Amino acid sequence: MPTYAYRCRECTETFELLRPMSESGAPAACPEGHRDTVKLLTTVALTGAASGPAVPAGGGGGCCGGGCCG
């Protein structure tokens, strides 16, 4: 289940909820019980080794990026 971040507009508390994607747009009360909250946009950083062939650095970017310009 994904984690969603929210901020309370009354007490400015930021909190997270673990909920199904089907409930991502549902209202969420803050831990203090306030109902005026807004869902925050969050980013996810993916790190680690990817499966598949490695892409060499600095190559394949068209004429000047691929080294075909003399």
Side-chain angles (χ1 to χ4, degrees):
M1 247 188 295
T3 301
Y4 297 95
Y6 298 87
R7 174 168 291 141
C8 178
R9 291 181 179 168
E10 292 184 46
C11 67
T12 67
E13 174 90 16
T14 300
F15 61 98
E16 294 181 341
L17 291 178
L18 187 68
R19 53 176 30 178
M21 290 176 72
S22 61
E23 295 178 19
S24 66
C30 86
E32 299 296 321
H34 304 125
R35 298 252 178 232
D36 189 12
T37 61
V38 62
K39 188 169 105 175
L40 302 176
L41 296 177
T42 56
T43 59
V44 176
L46 301 176
T47 61
S51 61
V55 177
C63 181
C64 295
C68 62
C69 297

